[in-house]
Amino acid sequence: MAQVPQRFFDALAVRTWCGLSLRALGRAREEIDAINVYPVADGDTGTNLYLTVESAVAAVEAVFAAHEVDGGTRDASGARYTSEDREASGARDTADGPSLADAVGAMAHGALIGARGNSGTILAQLLRGMAQVLTERGDSAHTEGPGLRLALRHAATSARQAVAHPVEGTVLTVASAAADAADGAEGDCAEVARAAYEGARAALVATPGQLPVLERAGVVDAGGHGLVTVLAALVETFTGRAPGPVAVPHARVEPGGAGAGEEGATGECAEEGGEGGPAFEVIYLLEAEDAAVARLRRRLDALGDSLVVVGGDGLWNVHVHVDDAGAAVEAGVEAGRPYRIRITHFGHDDAHTTGAERPPRERTQRAVVAVVPGEGLAALYTEAGATTLLARPGEPPASGELVQAVRRAHAREVVLLPNDADLRHTAAAAAEQARTEGVRVALIPTRSAVQGIAALAVHEPERRFDEDVVAMTSAAGATRHAEVTVAERQSWTTAGICQAGDVLGLIDGDVAVIGADVSEVAATVLDRMLSAGGELVTLVLGDEAPQAVADRLEARVREAYLAVDTVVYRGGRQGALLLVGVE
């Protein structure tokens, strides 16, 4: 069915464009992932672009939801957005809904905080560049063709300025061509968008002639392909119909296999040539002043390559490839407050080689993919053979990230452990997507990482898949789970009213104990759990929990529960002070 066209670029057009872009990238993701050859072959450009736009969509939906339903509403994906979400985005109330400035500001902010990889980081800056022009119009309800032309030009300029060492034949070239074509267009937003799309598409086809590594591989730039896809969605926003498919040369390879690599999409920041490259990708959000960021750029440029720093007004997204990940993070600490730190190891003989230099990696028969809340638990799960996805406190992974983890496991059969009750719908969506890609996926609804540990302990890859899943599900279901945490605000609970700073003991997801001392609350929780029996107690301490808590609980078990064993792990920055499992 044709999309209802938007005459002007207003808040509704922004919402429509974001939604269409997300769907289009979802359809093109695998193809874009498959054509990356420069400079890092990690096969996730399409996925990174999708996740970046997904974050932008969530931010825009939050702005609209606050105007539509008091207390929040749900978007098409089922996610709830509330007035608190909208307040965090800095949107203003208007009588008839959000203004254009509200919508584009939310879009840019969402993309900035959710940007993934080099390609996503540059796309975030392109959207921010557009927003900077459009927000200058204050509370104006819309803009027309000339305003869109200015926005596209500023987007291309600001994205190029964000890159330390621009390389032609990349998404930057495609963005500049789109702006050039838009400059020559007369008429309304539809005409400008169509001209930008055609200019970008022509530039994309020409990228192999600008970057020899693309020509050797017989592919176009994947980040540029992603931008053309986003601009096609812009055309559909204003005309009601999508342009034809992006018919460009590309070598079809298995995602994640030979010839794949995220930075082949962007390639904007690395020097052409060179057989190797840095071992780590480091990404973080940074709260810092402009002067400090200027110093940070110089320091990171000396440490590695593929440097992109985007943002402004005190909030930045930093992306760099380095051999010393610790030094890159330390540089951020010196500049301001880095958070949402993501460090990815590219892998030896994988990330910096082209498809012609290595054979496709054969799939394993079975893998376990688990969401884990802390670095310590991630190491524990990895040692046990699982593929892990680290979930920071307050930062639940999106379904696209779970799908990416399943792809990374590279197995024919996957057991998925979400380890969080709030992730059940997200995990189910990811499992369904993976099944459409030919992977047999079983979702075990683990509600806590300790249930995942129990499931992983009985995992036997040599068993029939169904038998293995049944055994793992049974082990997880037989494990009662609890956690000890600190209340952030006053609240009604099943155990009474708690105040900010109170220590809470939750058993199977419900608050059961409220107290002032971590050890006392933990001991009470453990006694209540063991009153129903048990043979093994698993304790996972967070970074902020003193070792004395575990020592006291171990002593308590030895003295009062003679037939019960205890194991203790360090979970890292897992959010809760203590996780408890009783089997």
Side-chain angles (χ1 to χ4, degrees), residues 28 31 120 138 146 192 198 205 305 307 361 405 423 430 438 443 474 501 506 538 576:
E31 180 178 14
V192 173
E198 294 295 345
V205 173
D305 61 31
L307 174 61
R361 181 163 59 98
L423 287 179
L443 171 61
S474 177
L506 291 80
T538 301

Side-chain angles (χ1 to χ4, degrees), residues 342 369-374 378 381-382 386-392 396-406 408 416-419 423:
R342 297 173 182 270
V369 174
V371 180
V372 291
Y381 272 74
T382 301
T387 296
T388 61
L389 176 60
L390 187 62
R392 302 289 188 188
S399 61
E401 291 176 282
L402 281 170
V403 173
Q404 189 176 1
V406 171
R408 185 157 41 92
L416 184 57
L417 305 175
N419 291 339
L423 287 179

Side-chain angles (χ1 to χ4, degrees), residues 284 286 291-301 318 328 331-332 335:
Y284 50 80
L286 178 70
V293 171
R295 292 192 295 271
L296 175 66
R297 288 178 189 269
R298 292 192 292 271
R299 180 168 179 187
L300 292 180
D301 193 26
V318 179

Side-chain angles (χ1 to χ4, degrees), residues 416-420 424 443-448 451 473 476:
L416 184 57
L417 305 175
N419 291 339
D420 186 337
R424 61 188 184 278
L443 171 61
I444 298 179
T446 48
R447 298 163 59 88
S448 170
Q451 288 188 322
T473 303

